[in-house]
């Protein structure tokens, strides 16, 4: 019997990917972002479905993620979304993946490695238009493109930026980012430089800023909507009297005689401790409160006078009967975002895939 597990609905993931196809122009490419183990869903399995449903690119954060996809037999184009350290430029060239570049030093390292292996290194240049995380500053972008263009064995396939506030519709900051990116790219194209792929929009940008679709969009969190169900089981049940304390710090005291069930899941599995005395779970289509501090491996819930037995299935994120606990609801209670909740579901939690 599995103590904690997630069920991944691959049909739902495919539906989400294809929904994005309906809101972008037919000629616009679609990148499926599968970094962080596909936001906790399993990068190899999710990538297989994405490729089968016609995505044009896969996006990852690190070289190690690209290596894992190639070793899994995935041959589709992969964009590494940030620069790694220079010493692994040769690995990138050997992998036949596309590399994000925003410094001349890294471009030179790729050029040297590509010459060594008699290959062409494909790159996308990232321009920072206001996120202030990574990327060449807008006023330095033209010079960088000119310098990289002079390097041997480098093909500038794309150019892109990243929005900081695209979840807000008609936001002036985002519109200014679009304007700055468009002006830089237009200026470069007038100088004779060409970029087969230009992209700005993440999930929120794809929904809220059609003018920013350019000719590729990058979809991450939106493609994972309602794909995952997080489950556990009741491991122990006991009746406790009124005024009994539950779990560490004695933060919960029973108001009457009640039944406490212990679940075989804890914060080491991704049930965040911030849900202590705030969150709920679903058992047999009914919501029950999490009581006391969530422990590393176990969590307690208050069943009142309801009777359940060891082994009963418990929904932590997902739906059962008429009740639903969404990842967004969990994130709000925990004071964070859905991305963190999904990525935080631990490796010791089994993933079960179905269509």
């Amino acid at each position: 019997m599995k103590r904690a597990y997630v069920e991944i609905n691959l049909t739902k993931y495919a539906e989400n990917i294809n929904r994005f196809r309906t809101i972008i122009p037919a000629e616009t490419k679609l990148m499926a972002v599968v970094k962080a183990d596909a936001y906790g869903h399993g990068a190899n399995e999710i990538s297989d479905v994405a490729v089968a449903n016609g995505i044009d690119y896969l996006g990852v954060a690190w070289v190690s993620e690209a290596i894992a996809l190639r070793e899994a037999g995935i041959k589709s184009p992969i964009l590494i979304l940030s620069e790694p350290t220079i010493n692994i430029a040769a690995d990138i060239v050997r992998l036949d993946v596309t590399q994000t570049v925003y410094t001349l030093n890294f471009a030179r390292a790729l050029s040297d490695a590509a010459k060594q292996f008699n290959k062409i290194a494909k790159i996308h240049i990232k321009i920072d238009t206001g996120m202030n995380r990574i990327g060449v500053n807008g006023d330095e972008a033209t010079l960088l493109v000119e310098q990289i263009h002079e390097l041997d064995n480098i093909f500038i396939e794309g150019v892109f930026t990243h929005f900081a506030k695209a979840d807000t519709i008609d936001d002036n900051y985002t519109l200014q980012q679009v304007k700055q990116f468009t002006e830089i790219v237009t200026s470069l194209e007038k100088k004779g430089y060409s970029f087969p792929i230009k992209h700005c929009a993440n999930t929120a940008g794809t929904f809220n800023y059609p003018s920013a679709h350019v000719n590729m969009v990058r979809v991450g969190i939106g493609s994972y909507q309602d794909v995952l169900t997080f489950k556990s089981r009741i491991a122990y049940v006991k009746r406790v009297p009124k005024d009994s304390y539950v779990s560490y710090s004695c933060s919960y005291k029973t108001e009457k005689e009640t039944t406490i069930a212990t679940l075989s899941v804890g914060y080491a599995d991704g049930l965040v401790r911030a849900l202590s005395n705030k969150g709920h779970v679903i058992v047999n289509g009914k919501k029950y409160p999490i009581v006391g501090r969530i422990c590393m491996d176990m969590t307690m819930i208050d069943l009142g006078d309801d009777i359940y037995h060891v082994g009963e299935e418990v929904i932590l994120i997902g739906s059962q009967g008429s009740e639903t606990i969404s990842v967004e609801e969990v994130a709000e209670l925990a004071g964070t975002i859905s991305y963190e909740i999904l990525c935080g579901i631990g490796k010791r939690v089994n993933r079960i895939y179905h269509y």
Side-chain angles (χ1 to χ4, degrees):
M1 183 184 296
K2 296 177 176 64
R3 53 175 297 278
Y5 53 103
V6 293
E7 294 178 350
I8 311 292
N9 187 333
L10 297 176
T11 297
K12 182 61 179 178
Y13 177 76
E15 290 172 356
N16 290 344
I17 285 291
N18 289 315
R19 179 166 59 103
F20 280 100
R21 284 287 188 200
T22 68
I23 63 174
I24 62 176
E27 66 275 11
T28 299
K29 296 180 184 295
L30 182 62
M31 174 188 288
V33 180
V34 295
K35 62 182 181 176
D37 199 29
Y39 294 50
H41 292 69
N44 292 349
E45 293 81 2
I46 289 292
S47 296
D48 281 339
V49 175
V51 170
N53 281 270
I55 59 93
D56 302 286
Y57 244 103
L58 296 168
V60 300
W62 307 117
V63 178
S64 57
E65 295 174 330
I67 291 172
L69 293 179
R70 286 289 186 250
E71 289 179 345
I74 294 169
K75 296 180 171 59
S76 297
I78 298 171
L79 176 63
I80 300 171
L81 291 163
S82 59
E83 284 186 6
T85 53
I86 285 176
N87 63 304
I88 55 176
D91 295 329
I92 293 165
V93 173
R94 281 194 295 262
L95 278 174
D96 190 27
V97 296
T98 308
Q99 176 60 53
T100 292
V101 169
Y102 36 85
T103 65
L104 183 58
N105 281 346
F106 197 83
R108 284 172 173 157
L110 281 176
S111 173
D112 291 342
K115 284 188 286 186
Q116 178 186 348
F117 294 107
N118 195 28
K119 288 190 171 187
I120 301 296
K122 284 195 300 184
I123 68 168
H124 288 203
I125 294 176
K126 183 162 190 180
I127 300 172
D128 186 354
T129 58
M131 181 73 174
N132 288 313
R133 183 174 60 180
I134 56 174
V136 59
N137 287 336
D139 58 356
E140 300 170 348
T142 297
L143 176 60
L144 181 64
V145 169
E146 292 171 345
Q147 291 172 323
I148 292 176
H149 187 73
E150 296 301 315
L151 297 176
D152 295 328
N153 296 66
I154 293 284
F155 172 49
I156 305 175
E157 181 191 55
V159 61
F160 72 109
T161 194
H162 189 68
F163 294 144
K165 246 181 112 180
D167 51 342
T168 304
I169 298 174
D170 293 328
D171 175 70
N172 287 334
Y173 196 80
T174 304
L175 293 172
Q176 180 57 40
Q177 284 191 268
V178 175
K179 181 175 182 289
Q180 183 182 2
F181 179 75
T182 302
E183 288 175 349
I184 292 169
V185 173
T186 300
S187 174
L188 285 165
E189 289 175 334
K190 285 180 178 178
K191 292 184 176 184
Y193 300 104
S194 63
F195 310 99
I197 301 178
K198 294 169 278 191
H199 47 116
C200 299
N202 52 8
T203 289
T206 302
F207 282 127
N208 297 334
Y209 294 88
S211 64
H213 289 174
V214 202
N215 59 10
M216 186 165 77
V217 298
R218 307 182 303 268
V219 296
I221 191 66
S223 64
Y224 301 105
Q225 187 74 35
D226 299 325
V227 171
L228 175 150
T229 302
F230 191 8
K231 297 182 177 183
S232 184
R233 294 190 183 274
I234 292 176
Y236 185 63
V237 179
K238 69 183 299 182
R239 195 76 177 162
V240 299
K242 180 184 176 181
D243 295 332
S244 295
Y245 291 102
V246 178
S247 195
Y248 292 117
S249 301
C250 298
S251 64
Y252 180 80
K253 185 168 74 170
T254 60
E255 296 180 354
K256 61 182 181 65
E257 183 182 359
T258 191
T259 298
I260 300 295
T262 301
L263 312 182
S264 56
V265 64
Y267 61 76
D269 303 295
L271 188 64
V272 292
R273 194 168 179 268
L275 296 176
S276 300
N277 293 311
K278 290 195 291 185
H280 288 79
V281 303
I282 304 171
V283 187
N284 195 30
K286 183 177 178 180
K287 281 188 176 181
Y288 295 93
I290 293 171
V291 296
R293 296 277 190 255
I294 292 174
C295 308
M296 183 180 290
D297 313 297
M298 289 174 279
T299 298
M300 279 65 77
I301 61 174
D302 191 338
L303 297 177
D305 294 323
D306 292 344
I307 299 172
Y308 295 106
H309 302 287
V310 170
E312 189 84 38
E313 184 178 78
V314 179
I315 307 298
L316 310 172
I317 297 173
S319 298
Q320 190 180 67
S322 61
E323 294 287 359
T324 296
I325 298 173
S326 69
V327 66
E328 291 79 13
E329 174 187 342
V330 170
E332 184 175 357
L333 284 172
T336 184
I337 57 175
S338 59
Y339 303 62
E340 184 177 358
I341 299 298
L342 292 172
C343 293
I345 298 176
K347 283 294 185 183
R348 70 180 187 179
V349 176
N350 292 322
R351 269 69 172 171
I352 301 169
Y353 297 91
H354 63 86
Y355 285 91

